[in-house]
């Protein structure tokens, strides 16, 4: 039985993580959940899974918690680092977007907790530092992002020397093939209308400009210890294959 800390439990990845845990209660137990300010959804999750610890970044949102039991509650900017260091924790799922995830990742690594990473910004901004720290502390950094998880699974059982190329797939987003004239007229709603996936607003917007794939290239470099020359992005509109290795 592994004790799981979920940083960013109310977002898309965090919600899916709880869904997986709910179907595998013989293997996983929710030890702690953290959200930004969505106290209502956090309360629903906590009341269902009864984690020992509940946390919010937004101190003012604590008053909106409505819990049917009495966990330990913490709030403030240091809550992710605090929960990532919990002695009982076995794995820390980092599903917070942006640089808010950094403290939680570093804390988990320093306390030798496995990190399931969905926040690409951590490796984009500090990949060399984070991965070196993980190696020094003998900590696994496991990719949760769908493309990188596909690569990770494809590499299982293969010697590193056998890897020639990583093929990252991209749908091309809602504006693939559109003219420059068309792009001058697009709205926020257009950019949020991804043709294949239902994701959080930040990732959806980044995908509409393909910026997200650029971040994933940087993420792949550090996760898998390859040169940029070994990473190729392939436009695949059908999104049948998440990613591949050669």
């Amino acid at each position: 039985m592994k004790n799981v800390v979920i940083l960013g439990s109310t977002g898309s990845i965090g919600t899916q993580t709880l869904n997986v845990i709910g179907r595998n209660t013989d293997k996983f137990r929710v030890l702690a959940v953290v959200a930004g300010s969505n106290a209502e959804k956090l309360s629903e999750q906590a009341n269902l899974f009864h984690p020992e610890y509940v946390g919010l970044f937004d101190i003012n949102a604590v008053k909106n918690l409505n819990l049917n039991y009495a966990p330990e509650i913490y709030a403030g900017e240091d809550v992710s680092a605090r929960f990532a260091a919990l002695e009982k924790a076995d794995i820390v799922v980092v599903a917070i977007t942006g640089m808010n995830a950094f403290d939680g990742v570093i804390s988990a690594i320093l306390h030798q907790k496995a990190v399931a990473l969905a926040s690409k910004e951590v490796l984009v901004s500090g990949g060399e530092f984070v991965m070196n720290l993980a190696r020094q502390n003998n900590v696994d950094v496991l990719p949760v992002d769908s493309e990188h998880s596909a690569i990770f699974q494809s590499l299982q059982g293969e010697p590193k020397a056998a890897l020639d190329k990583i093929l990252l797939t991209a749908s091309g987003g809602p504006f693939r093939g559109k003219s420059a004239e068309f792009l001058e007229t697009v709205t926020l709603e257009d950019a949020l209308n991804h043709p294949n996936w239902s994701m959080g607003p930040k990732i959806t917007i980044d995908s509409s400009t393909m910026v997200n794939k650029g971040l994933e290239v940087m993420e792949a470099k550090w996760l898998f210890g390859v040169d940029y020359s070994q990473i190729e992005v392939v436009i695949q509109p059908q999104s049948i294959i998440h990613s591949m290795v050669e």
Side-chain angles (χ1 to χ4, degrees), residues 66-85:
N66 183 18
L67 302 173
N68 60 16
Y69 73 115
E72 291 192 42
I73 299 171
Y74 293 90
E77 293 182 358
D78 67 336
V79 68
S80 62
R82 180 191 291 266
F83 284 6

Side-chain angles (χ1 to χ4, degrees), residues 12-35:
S12 175
I13 296 293
T15 302
Q16 292 175 66
T17 300
L18 286 170
N19 188 303
V20 171
I21 292 174
R23 290 182 279 116
N24 294 275
T25 53
D26 58 323
K27 297 182 178 73
F28 303 103
R29 169 178 170 265
V30 182
L31 176 66
V33 288
V34 175

Side-chain angles (χ1 to χ4, degrees), residues 62-124:
V62 173
K63 62 180 181 294
N64 298 321
L65 286 171
N66 183 18
L67 302 173
N68 60 16
Y69 73 115
E72 291 192 42
I73 299 171
Y74 293 90
E77 293 182 358
D78 67 336
V79 68
S80 62
R82 180 191 291 266
F83 284 6
L86 288 170
E87 185 176 349
K88 291 182 183 178
D90 295 304
I91 186 165
V92 179
V93 177
V94 183
I96 304 169
T97 58
M99 288 305 296
N100 288 332
F102 209 89
D103 288 349
V105 171
I106 299 304
S107 177
I109 291 173
L110 290 175
H111 291 87
Q112 297 183 310
K113 316 294 183 183
V115 176
L117 186 62
S119 175
K120 58 180 61 67
E121 291 83 1
V122 170
L123 294 184
V124 168

